[in-house]
Amino acid sequence: MVKLIIAVFVYVVLTFLAALGGLEIAALRAGLAGLAWPIGPRYRRLGYVLGGLLIAMTFIGGLLAGLLIEPLYPLLSVPVIFLAMGLSLVVAITGAALRLRRNPQCPASTLPQGKQVDLGPMQAFFYQPAGDGPAPGLCLLPDPTALRDDLGALIQALVKDGIAVLLLDWQSLGDVDRLTLQGLVAVGISHLARWPEIDPGRVGLLGVGVGGDLALRSAAMDQGVAAVLAIEPVLSAQRPWQGLEALSTLSWFEARRRVQRWRRSGVVKELDGLTAIPSIAPRLTAVIVGCMGDSEVMEDFQVLRDGGGCFLVPAARRGAVKRATAWFKEHLA
Amino acid sequence: MTDVLYFYVSLFCSQRTLVQGLPEMVSRLLGTLAGWYLVPAGLALVLFVYWFTGATAIDRAANQRVVLRGLLAALIAWILALAVKVAWLQVLSGPQWKEIVSEWACWQGPPSACPAAAVGFALSTALWRRDWRLGLGCSLAVCLWSVAQVFYGVHYSLDVVVGAAIGVGLAWWLGSMAWLDHRLGALVEVARRWMLA
C-alpha cells in the first residue's frame, strides 16, 4: 500500500511537471500572458526552453520510475493524469496572476493634469490642447463597470492632436442607474459645448467598453453630438462569452471579475447600444473592435478593426488609441 | 471454433519467446513501455496542449471539439474493449475449454481487445482527422505501446488488432457525426465562460 502511494505521488509529480511545461509552451505560442508561468511572454525563448526541459525531464523520470517503482494500474493512471493536469492548470493560472500583478502586461500611463470641473453630483476633468482658437471637444466616458481603466494614453494622444477632452469621473458617484448616467452625459456635453475655447459644432462622444454603449445611446438622444466613437462596446447582452483570449493581457481572476461585472450590470442590458445606432445617423458613428469583433451585427456604421488585444482592456491597446485619435482628427479637427 | 482460437493465440507466438531471454533491465524497460503511464501520459499531454493551441479563437474551438471527441471515443472504446473481454470469458467459461487450452504453449489467458490499442488509436484517429501529422505521431506512439504489450506478454497480437479496429472505427464514426459538433461546441462554450477554452 505504501509503495502504491509513493508510486502515485511520483507519477502525479512527473505528470504535473510535464503538463506545466506543455502549458507554458502553449500559452507563450498563443500569447496568453494570463496562463504563462513561470516565465511570461517577455522572455518567450527562455519559456520555450524551460517548457521543453520540463517535458523531457518528465519522460526520462517516467522511464526511471517504471524501472524503480510500482507500475500504475490502467484504472489508476487516468485519475493520476487528470489530477496532475488539473493541478498544473491551477498552478499556472495562479502563478501567472501573481506575475501579472507584479509586472502588468500594459504599464500604466501617467494621466495628464486636468482641470477639475463640478457637474452636479459628479466630478469631471478637463484637458485643453495647446494653441488658440476654438478647438473640437470630446466627452470621454470610461467604463462604469471598470473604474480603474487606464485612460492616460488615450487622453494624451487626443490632447496632443488638438482635441479638448472632458473626462467624466464615475468614481465620484455611487451606484447609479442607466438614466442617471445618460443624464450626466447630457450635462457633460452641454457643459463642454458652452466652454469658451470649444467649438459647439464639433463636440463628440468617446466611450470605452460599457462607456461605449453609453456613448452610442447618449448620441442617439442628443442632437448636439457631432460624432461618436465607441471602443469595444458590449453592444448587446447577448454578446458571446470571451474565452481564453481575455488572458492575453489579464490574469484569469481579473478577466473573470471584469466579465462578471459586465454580465451582472443591468446597465449593459438597458443600454443595448446596438439598437441605438440607427437613431444616430446621419451623424458620424464608428466602433473600434479587436480580433473578436462581432462583424455580422455591425453593418450600418464604420467598423475600425485593430490587430488584436482584449476587449476587456480596450483603452490600454495602442492600436485602439491610434485609431480613435486618427478618426476624431479626421472628422472633428 | 477451436481452430480459430488456436490461430488467434498462436499468431506471432514465436516472437514473444524471442524476448524471454533478454536481460532483466531490458525486460523492465519493455514493461515500462507496455505500462499505463509513459505513452498514456504522452497522449494526454498532446491533448492538453492541443486544447490551448490555435491561431484564432475559431481554430482553437475546433481543436477543442477534436479533443473532446477524442476523449469520448477513447472512453467508449475502452468500454467496448472490456465488453469484448467479458464476452470471451463467457465463451471460454466451460471446463472443456480448460482442458483444450492447457495443452497450448502460447496460451496466456482468454483473448480480449487490447484496451491500450483501443484507447490510443481512438485518440490518435480523432486527432488525425484534424491534423494528420499529429495523428500520425500519436499513432506511432500507440503502435509502440501496443507492440510492447504484445512482447511483454500482456496481450495476444490479435488483441491489438481488434483493439485498434475498435478504436479507429469508433473514432472515425464519431468524427463523421456532424450533429455531435453542436453538443461538443456547447461544452466548449461552458469552458469559455470559465475562460478555459
Side-chain angles (χ1 to χ4, degrees):
Chain A
M1 186 65 183
V2 175
K3 278 184 179 176
L4 186 67
I5 292 171
I6 292 171
V8 166
F9 177 74
V10 169
Y11 287 119
V12 166
V13 170
L14 286 172
T15 316
F16 168 79
L17 291 175
L20 206 58
L23 205 52
E24 170 82 17
I25 293 172
L28 289 177
R29 280 194 63 180
L32 303 173
L35 207 58
W37 190 78
I39 293 173
R42 201 175 293 174
Y43 307 102
R44 194 177 291 258
R45 282 189 181 176
L46 192 62
Y48 286 149
V49 171
L50 181 73
L53 272 176
L54 282 174
I55 294 171
M57 263 170 52
T58 299
F59 280 91
I60 294 167
L63 270 174
L64 289 174
L67 299 176
L68 301 172
I69 57 175
E70 291 245 320
L72 277 182
Y73 303 119
L75 279 176
L76 198 57
S77 72
V78 175
V80 161
I81 289 170
F82 274 87
L83 173 72
M85 290 189 166
L87 274 177
S88 74
L89 190 59
V90 170
V91 168
I93 283 172
T94 314
L98 292 173
R99 184 176 49 72
L100 282 172
R101 181 176 277 190
R102 271 186 294 148
N103 311 305
Q105 193 73 353
C106 303
S109 55
T110 46
L111 197 67
Q113 193 67 37
K115 186 176 179 182
Q116 194 171 324
V117 180
D118 285 325
L119 297 176
M122 183 182 65
Q123 283 186 346
F125 294 91
F126 184 68
Y127 302 90
Q128 194 167 356
D132 299 326
L138 271 185
C139 210
L140 176 55
L141 315 181
D143 189 330
T145 65
L147 298 174
R148 283 179 297 163
D149 261 355
D150 180 12
L151 299 171
L154 187 61
I155 294 169
Q156 277 176 352
L158 288 165
V159 173
K160 195 179 160 195
D161 278 359
I163 301 169
V165 176
L166 182 69
L167 169 68
L168 303 192
D169 181 17
W170 305 132
Q171 288 189 71
S172 57
L173 296 168
D175 200 13
V176 286
D177 60 4
R178 191 255 306 179
L179 288 173
T180 312
L181 287 172
Q182 273 183 252
L184 290 167
V185 173
V187 171
I189 293 166
S190 68
H191 189 85
L192 194 61
R194 282 187 278 111
W195 200 274
E197 287 88 7
I198 300 294
D199 179 354
R202 291 189 292 161
V203 170
L205 264 178
L206 168 60
V208 177
V210 181
D213 296 84
L214 185 58
L216 293 170
R217 180 58 65 188
S218 301
M221 312 290 283
D222 194 331
Q223 295 298 317
V225 177
V228 57
L229 176 71
I231 303 178
E232 292 284 11
V234 185
L235 288 181
S236 161
Q238 301 304 316
R239 182 172 178 149
W241 286 88
Q242 180 82 341
L244 273 174
E245 300 77 38
L247 305 187
S248 58
T249 39
L250 294 172
S251 72
W252 184 87
F253 300 101
E254 180 61 23
R256 272 295 290 172
R257 207 173 299 136
R258 285 190 180 229
V259 167
Q260 288 299 341
R261 273 203 297 257
W262 273 23
R263 292 281 151 184
R264 286 179 189 156
S265 164
V267 175
V268 174
K269 199 179 278 182
E270 287 173 23
L271 283 172
D272 199 7
L274 198 59
T275 58
I277 291 171
S279 316
I280 304 171
R283 288 167 293 156
L284 294 163
T285 310
V287 170
I288 293 180
V289 291
C291 55
M292 282 297 291
D294 210 350
S295 58
E296 67 267 29
V297 294
M298 300 177 185
E299 288 169 353
D300 305 332
F301 54 98
Q302 200 176 351
V303 178
L304 309 171
R305 292 193 178 276
D306 88 71
C310 167
F311 87 115
L312 292 171
V313 280
R317 284 200 328 243
R318 199 175 297 165
V321 170
K322 270 189 183 175
R323 286 273 190 172
T325 317
W327 191 82
F328 276 118
K329 199 175 172 187
E330 184 187 344
H331 295 107
L332 282 186
Chain B
M1 178 68 178
T2 312
D3 291 341
V4 172
L5 187 62
Y6 183 74
F7 173 76
Y8 193 103
V9 300
S10 59
L11 189 70
F12 295 118
C13 178
S14 56
Q15 304 293 320
R16 282 206 303 276
T17 55
L18 282 177
V19 292
Q20 280 169 0
L22 287 174
E24 199 198 332
M25 202 59 173
V26 178
S27 176
R28 292 187 79 171
L29 202 65
L30 196 65
T32 305
L33 208 57
W36 277 80
Y37 178 69
L38 214 58
V39 177
L43 288 175
L45 187 64
V46 168
L47 290 181
F48 188 58
V49 171
Y50 202 57
W51 179 272
F52 296 100
T53 309
T56 62
I58 294 165
D59 272 348
R60 198 179 296 134
N63 291 349
Q64 284 155 358
R65 285 198 299 273
V66 166
V67 170
L68 292 177
R69 205 185 284 269
L71 288 174
L72 181 66
L75 178 69
I76 300 173
W78 199 340
I79 293 168
L80 284 178
L82 289 177
V84 170
K85 186 176 184 174
V86 170
W88 270 112
L89 282 172
Q90 285 293 318
V91 170
L92 302 175
S93 59
Q96 75 278 15
W97 281 107
K98 283 182 184 165
E99 275 181 40
I100 294 168
V101 298
S102 62
E103 292 168 12
W104 294 351
C106 292
W107 181 256
Q108 54 183 42
S112 66
C114 172
V119 169
F121 279 111
L123 288 174
S124 308
T125 308
L127 286 174
W128 187 302
R129 287 180 64 98
R130 172 94 179 138
D131 180 347
W132 70 268
R133 287 183 190 86
L134 192 62
L136 182 64
C138 290
S139 299
L140 290 175
V142 177
C143 283
L144 193 70
W145 185 20
S146 308
V147 169
Q149 290 210 336
V150 171
F151 278 102
Y152 198 61
V154 183
H155 284 287
Y156 300 111
S157 45
L158 280 179
D159 284 351
V160 171
V161 174
V162 174
I166 289 175
V168 171
L170 191 70
W172 205 268
W173 183 55
L174 286 179
S176 60
M177 287 180 176
W179 62 267
L180 197 59
D181 255 2
H182 188 65
R183 304 279 191 284
L184 298 176
L187 281 177
V188 171
E189 197 55 34
V190 171
R192 278 184 76 77
R193 285 176 180 227
W194 287 92
M195 286 170 190
L196 295 174

